[in-house]
Amino acid sequence: MLLTGAEILIKSLIDEGVETIFGYPGGAVLNIYDELYKYKDKINHILTCHEQAAAHAADGYSRATGKVGVCIATSGPGATNLVTGIATAYMDSIPIVAITGNVPKSLLGKDSFQEVDISGITMPITKHNYIVKNVEDLQRIIKDAFYIAQEGRPGPVLIDIPKDITANKGVYKSLITRERCKDKNILNEEAIAEVIQYINDSKRPFIYAGGGIVSSEATDELITFAEKINAPVSTSLMCTSAFPFDHSLYTGMIGMHGTKASNVAATKCDLLITLGARFSDRVISNQNHIKNAKIIHIDIDPAEINKNVKVDSYIVGDLKDVLNRLIPVIDEKKNKEWLDFIDSIKEKKTFKEDDCNELTPELLFNKLNNLNDGNFIITTEVGQHQMWAAQYFNCRNRRSFLSSGGLGTMGYGLGAAIGAQIGSPNKRVFNIAGDGSFGMNCNELATVVKNKLPIVTIILNNNSLGMVRQWQMLFYDGRYSETTLNRETDYVKLAEAFGARGFRVIEKSELDYVLNQAISSKEPVLIDYVINCDKKVFPMVAPGAPINQIISEEDINNN
């Protein structure tokens, strides 16, 4: 069948099961958008206000559903506006396919209008990228792109298509979908035997679980594995929601803003079992901090082994496969003394509303926890509010906490919320924002309203760039350089201007009513939740310090 490149593209996307695309049209992709118009009964296109939000929406869609997210932009600035979203997906190993238009082949390399070498620009932040030079290659490239985005360690793939390729005609035919082999894990038997021996010999095992657990859909296996060896479990930010928050073995988040139990356990264990995590500098990056433990690292990406921390034993492979291989053959353990010690340092969550005289993050998330019936998805921007959400919100279902971990992208949350809500229409999506981050993407409220998405955005409004201000207080003697915003923005009026409902909460007595109104509403809602600018995120570990050297709020109050 002879079709234009644009037709081949759209049909190929349908073949890959794509139902939604997030994007923004322009001259170089007009042929593609003309075909999208013809196929609008099969592919839902969400027009964002800015291409960066299209990339974040594709990312959020993928994180919430486990599918590949797809975004599209025109050449030049349209393509470069995708870059931050692509980098965000790359750092967090999220499978998206980004499609960009470009000038016709004859104009490439001539500084033509709206021409940019997007393939060169994105080479360091994609698993792979393509410039389509022949329409006959387009169908194969699309199929390969979806395969590469998902196989092994997931990540973004970019396809750059010159405009004449979308107009030229080529043969469209049935192609066999390549099965994801996960490298068919020719698992190293010696490595497996060695890991088993380390686990069986350990008296104080401790699990540090990362985003690989989510990517490999290995939550059930992680629970079974942890219960069999009775090992406490900590999670990275990327693994939040992948282990039950109320499980007796769960110690909470690990790292700079991790719990005391997680951070101390990492330094007291005799075996650190790292699953699908990369030893980020915000978690554990100094070998000396965990020098008393043997370290096992299981990851699908061989490049991560011994990159940041030298390990004693490792297995390269898909976590679901590896854990299913280990569970039947490892010894069952009790570890009573070790678990008793962990329980003794766990900080019990005991929040009493009557003890709270002002609006605080704890109060907000306690209310949300009480209202959550297991149907909530949380997206976050980046900053103090992000850490408070990770610390205080009790995720009751998998893939329910979406946050920019590796890149720390302010402006991520609202775009991601759009993607999550489109991908999970029966869930209630909350975007947790700070007033600083919200200013970077508030225009996407127009997208939310236009598409009648019942997203609730909650701005923890402290009139400052809170996380940077916190560092300035702790490490720069309180020199608050450009972190006090002093903006006169009325977020309630702003929400109403976009067509959303707006509420402001400045008193405790208002909160229940506002949250109930927001949750019962079928339309977009924004809540301006006003908090003190001096509220800090604790516990905290100073950059470069051992993770068990924990700064608490009491430490600050006592200098």
Side-chain angles (χ1 to χ4, degrees), residues 19-34:
E19 297 174 341
T20 301
I21 295 176
F22 306 90
Y24 203 97
V29 290
L30 277 175
N31 294 330
I32 297 171
Y33 272 83
D34 193 47

Side-chain angles (χ1 to χ4, degrees), residues 37 48 63 97 166 256 278 294 296 381 426 458 487 495:
Y37 181 86
T48 57
R63 295 193 203 216
V97 171
T166 64
M256 179 173 282
R278 58 188 178 86
K294 299 292 184 184
I296 291 171
E381 305 293 347
N426 297 320
I458 305 178
R487 291 173 180 166

Side-chain angles (χ1 to χ4, degrees), residues 130-132 137-146 159:
Y130 298 90
I131 304 176
V132 183
D137 296 329
L138 180 57
Q139 190 181 3
R140 173 191 56 79
I141 285 173
I142 294 163
K143 192 158 287 292
D144 286 350
F146 276 80
I159 307 172

Side-chain angles (χ1 to χ4, degrees), residues 166-284:
T166 64
N168 294 345
K169 290 195 172 182
V171 175
Y172 169 81
K173 56 190 175 184
S174 247
L175 292 181
I176 298 172
T177 298
R178 291 170 63 184
E179 283 190 31
R180 287 172 59 200
C181 61
K182 301 179 182 177
D183 299 327
K184 268 303 174 215
N185 291 317
I186 305 166
L187 294 172
N188 186 305
E189 294 298 329
E190 290 183 7
I192 290 173
E194 187 174 63
V195 164
I196 291 169
Q197 192 63 51
Y198 274 117
I199 293 172
N200 289 345
D201 289 346
S202 68
K203 306 295 183 189
R204 302 187 306 280
F206 180 62
I207 295 171
Y208 158 34
I213 294 291
V214 179
S215 299
S216 62
E217 304 285 358
T219 289
D220 290 340
E221 288 76 11
L222 172 60
I223 295 169
T224 303
F225 177 72
E227 289 176 344
K228 186 164 185 182
I229 63 172
N230 262 308
V233 177
S234 66
T235 53
S236 70
L237 183 71
M238 291 301 303
C239 195
T240 304
S241 84
F243 196 84
F245 75 92
D246 53 356
H247 196 290
S248 62
L249 291 174
Y250 189 47
T251 60
M253 187 167 68
I254 187 171
M256 179 173 282
H257 293 289
T259 65
K260 177 181 178 181
S262 292
N263 286 7
V264 171
T267 64
K268 297 293 185 182
C269 65
D270 64 1
L271 181 66
L272 180 63
I273 304 169
T274 306
L275 305 175
R278 58 188 178 86
F279 292 102
S280 159
D281 58 296
R282 289 296 176 99
V283 181
I284 305 171

Side-chain angles (χ1 to χ4, degrees), residues 390-402:
Q391 290 175 340
Y392 299 130
F393 183 71
N394 296 332
C395 298
R396 295 185 182 276
N397 51 302
R398 302 169 193 184
R399 293 188 175 274
S400 63
F401 187 89
L402 318 182

Side-chain angles (χ1 to χ4, degrees), residues 440-455:
M440 293 192 172
N441 68 356
C442 61
N443 52 333
E444 294 306 326
L445 276 179
T447 308
V448 175
V449 171
K450 178 186 175 183
N451 290 280
K452 298 179 171 59
L453 303 176
I455 294 168

Side-chain angles (χ1 to χ4, degrees), residues 424-437:
S424 305
N426 297 320
K427 303 284 188 180
R428 289 311 309 264
V429 177
F430 293 79
N431 175 39
I432 306 299
D435 47 325
S437 284

